[in-house]
Amino acid sequence: MFKKILIANRGEIACRVMKTAKKMGISTVAIYSDADRNALHVKMADEAIHIGPPPANQSYIVIDKVMAAIKESGAEAVHPGYGFLSENAKFAEALEAAGVAFVGPPVKAIEAMGDKITSKKIAQEAGVSTVPGYMGLIEDAEEAVKISNEIGYPVMIKASAGGGGKGMRIAWNDTEAREGFESSKNEAANSFGDDRIFIEKFVTQPRHIEIQVLCDTHGNGIYLNERECSIQRRNQKVVEEAPSPFLDEATRKAMGEQAVALAKAVGYASAGTVEFIVDGDKNFYFLEMNTRLQVEHPVTELITGVDLVEQMIRVANGEKLTITQDEVKIDGWAIENRLYAEDPYRGFLPSIGRLSRYRPPAEIAAGPLLAEGKWQGDAPEGEVAVRNDTGVYEGGEISMYYDPMIAKLCTWAPTRAEAIEAMRVALDSFEVEGIGHNLPFLSAVMDHPKFISGDMTTAFIAEEYPEGFEGVTLGDDYLKRIAAAAAAMYRVAEIRRTRISGTMDNHERTVGDDWVVSSQGCDFPVRVAADRDGSTVSFDDGTTMRVASDWTPGDQLATLTVDGDPLVLKVGKITSGFRMRSRGADLKVHVRSPRAHELAKLMPEKLPPDTSKMLLCPMPGLVVKVNVAEGDEVQEGQALCTIEAMKMENILRAEKKAVVTKINAGPGDSLAVDEVIMEFE
C-alpha cells in the first residue's frame, strides 16, 4: 500500500480524502494557494506545500506546479478529488510519466469519457440512448444560434470539459443562445482551460439520476445503486439522495448494468459516475460520465457501507475489488444538502467574507455512516445518523476565488421520512454567521410537499421559486409553538435581568405572567406559569403548551421540547424579543407586556431607502463587461453588465424600461455588495 498520498485539491473534498487516508495509515500532503494558507485541509495534512497565487489558473490547475509539489513531497500517489485537474488527461499522463500512481481512471478512459462530446459518440456507437444534440465543436455565437434553431429550443449549451454547473446555460431563444454561448465559453476557459462548447436538446420535465460505478484493473466492475440529483439550481446540484424515490428495481438494474457496460467498454478502473436523464415513464438517456469522485458520493457510502475513497486508493494500488454485485445492498435512506456561501434572498448570488460563527450539528455515527474515519454497525430501528463533510472552520474566510460550496450535510435513517426529519433538525441546528448562506432555502425544500412526495424534476427550483426565495411563512400551528417557546424564554431572560447586582434600593423589578407574543403579523396573548421543570404557556383560546429547555440567555441555539416534540431555534437578541430562525423562516419575535404591546402598535414603521433608480452590485465581485452607456434607453430584461464571482459570470438585467444617467463602474473594477454600478432617470 502507498505510504504517502498528495491530494491535488482543496476544501471539503481534500479533508474528506485525508480522513480515509488517515484510517488506512497513509501519510497525506496538501497543496495550497495564498488564499488557502490557513485552510482546514492544510491544517489536517501531515505536510503542506505552497503552489501559487489565489486564482486556480495560477495555482491548483497548473500541472507543472502540482508536479513540482509531488516531487518535493515524494508522494507515491495523487488523489485529485473533483474539479480542478481531476478529469485532466494531461495531468494523468504527467503522473504516469513520473511513475506516480493516479487515484483515478486510466488516461484513455479520461479522454474517452471525460470529454462530453467524445463520450456521447462512444455511447451512440455502443447503442446507448442519448439526448439529441450537435456533437461537433462550435466556432462562434452565430453558429451556436444556427445549431440551436436546427435542434429546436430549448437547448442546453455546455462546456465540453465542464463540470459542477460551470460553463452551462439553457437557452430558450436566439438572444439567450448568443449570450449563453459567450458566457459558457468564458467560464469554461477560466475554470478548465478548455473553451470548447457543444449543444444538445434540453429535455423538459426530466429527472437527473446517476449510477455510481466501481471498477478495478482486473476487469471487474459493479454499480452501487443510484443517486437522485434532480433538485438543481443553475445546473448545480443542491440536494441529493440515495436511493431515488422514483426508480423501481427493474429500472435500477437496467441503468446499473448499462453503466457498468459503458465503463468496461473504455477500460475504466476506479470510481466513476454515469449520469442519466430519466423521463416520467422511466425511460433513461445517457447524459455523460464523470471520471472522478462525485461531490455527492457520501449518500452512496451511507446506504451501501462502502468507502469509495478507500476503494479508489486500493484500485490505484492494483488490488482487486473484494465486493461483488450481489453483495451491494440498499441499507436505509440518505439525504445530502449542500451548504453554499450564497445569499438566497438575493437570487442565490455568491457571498464571501469571514465565518464569524460556524458550528455544524454534532456528527452521529450509526448504520453504515462514516464519521471521522470510523465505521459502526447497523443502526437500531428508528436511529438516525448525521455526517458533515466540510473544509472550513469558525474564523476562516470564504474566498471569492473558489466554488461557493462550504459543506455537505448528510443524514441517514432507516426510511426516507425519517431521513428527511433528521435533516430538518440538523439544518435548524447548523449555526452559520458572517456570510450569506442557503440554510433557510434548504430547510424550505425539506418541508416542500413536492420534495416530501418525491415527485420532483430538475425544474423544481425554477417552478416552485420562480421569483426567487423570499423566505418561509410558517403555518399557524408551528408559529404558535414558536410563540410558546419565545414567551417561556423571554420570561427566563427577564428574571435574569431582575437579578443584576448594583441596582438602586427601592427599585425592585417584578416579572409578570401575562405577555403578548407578536410575529409574522400574528399576535398571541399568553400567560406563562413556570416551575422547576419548565413552563406552561396558556393561550387566550384555551389551549396550553408545555415548554422544556436548558436554554440560558445569551445562547445562540435553543434546543427545546414543546408538548414533548423537539423544537430547535437559532436565537438572537432584539429589543423586546428575539430574532428566531427555524425551518427556513427568519422571524422577529417580540414579547411584550399587554400595555407595551398596545403602545408598540402606535409606533410608525421605518421604510427602507428607495433604490429603485439604481443598479446595485448584488454580491462582491469583478466587473467583466458593461453593456450600456450613459444616455442609453434600456428595456426590461436587457443585459446591463456582467459580474464575475466564485468562477461564475452573472448577467445583471434591467428590471424595467429606463434611461441610464450615470455609470459608476467599469470593466476590471472590484465591487462590494450594494455598491452602485449605475443610476437611471
Side-chain angles (χ1 to χ4, degrees), residues 43-280:
K43 296 177 184 293
M44 285 183 63
D46 295 301
E47 55 186 286
I49 298 172
H50 176 256
I51 57 165
N57 60 10
Q58 297 177 41
S59 52
Y60 290 107
I61 63 173
V62 180
I63 294 176
D64 289 345
K65 290 186 176 182
V66 178
M67 293 303 299
I70 295 166
K71 185 176 180 180
E72 180 182 338
S73 68
E76 304 160 84
V78 173
H79 196 300
Y82 52 73
F84 291 156
L85 297 172
S86 62
E87 295 177 285
N88 189 306
K90 291 180 180 178
F91 180 54
E93 286 175 348
L95 291 173
E96 189 175 334
V100 177
F102 179 61
V103 185
V107 173
K108 290 183 179 179
I110 295 175
E111 290 175 338
M113 290 284 95
D115 184 293
K116 293 181 176 62
I117 295 175
T118 304
S119 67
K120 281 186 175 297
K121 289 179 178 178
I122 292 174
Q124 287 174 338
E125 291 168 2
V128 178
S129 175
T130 58
V131 179
Y134 182 80
M135 295 297 105
L137 297 179
I138 301 165
E139 293 299 324
D140 55 34
E142 294 311 313
E143 187 182 1
V145 170
K146 179 183 176 183
I147 291 168
S148 297
N149 278 283
E150 291 172 355
I151 295 172
Y153 290 109
V155 297
M156 175 74 82
I157 301 169
K158 283 187 173 183
S160 179
K166 305 295 186 299
M168 298 174 68
R169 292 290 190 279
I170 298 172
W172 296 80
N173 53 51
D174 290 356
T175 300
E176 291 182 2
R178 196 172 287 110
E179 291 177 352
F181 176 82
E182 294 293 350
S183 288
S184 293
K185 196 175 183 69
N186 290 340
E187 285 181 9
N190 291 334
S191 294
F192 313 110
D194 183 343
D195 65 355
R196 292 176 299 154
I197 299 297
F198 73 101
I199 298 176
E200 65 185 12
K201 179 73 174 176
F202 177 66
V203 180
T204 56
Q205 298 299 309
R207 296 180 82 111
H208 184 128
I209 299 176
E210 59 191 30
I211 300 292
Q212 176 70 60
V213 297
L214 184 62
C215 304
D216 62 22
T217 55
H218 304 276
N220 301 306
I222 60 173
Y223 63 91
L224 287 88
N225 305 311
E226 80 282 1
R227 294 184 289 259
E228 172 76 62
C229 306
S230 295
I231 297 186
Q232 306 178 3
R233 185 189 54 74
R234 296 177 186 168
N235 306 306
Q236 179 77 60
K237 298 162 189 172
V238 178
V239 178
E240 301 100 347
E241 59 183 304
S244 167
F246 183 64
L247 292 193
D248 53 40
E249 186 55 42
T251 308
R252 175 180 296 116
K253 186 172 186 289
M255 291 175 70
E257 290 176 349
Q258 180 173 306
V260 171
L262 186 62
K264 287 185 175 181
V266 293
Y268 199 85
S270 192
T273 296
V274 181
E275 300 191 348
F276 294 92
I277 287 179
V278 184
D279 67 20

Side-chain angles (χ1 to χ4, degrees), residues 88 141 149 222 233 236 284 298 351 616 628 652 655 670:
N88 189 306
N149 278 283
I222 60 173
R233 185 189 54 74
Q236 179 77 60
F284 55 89
S351 176
L616 305 180
V628 296
L652 305 186
E655 294 182 356
S670 183

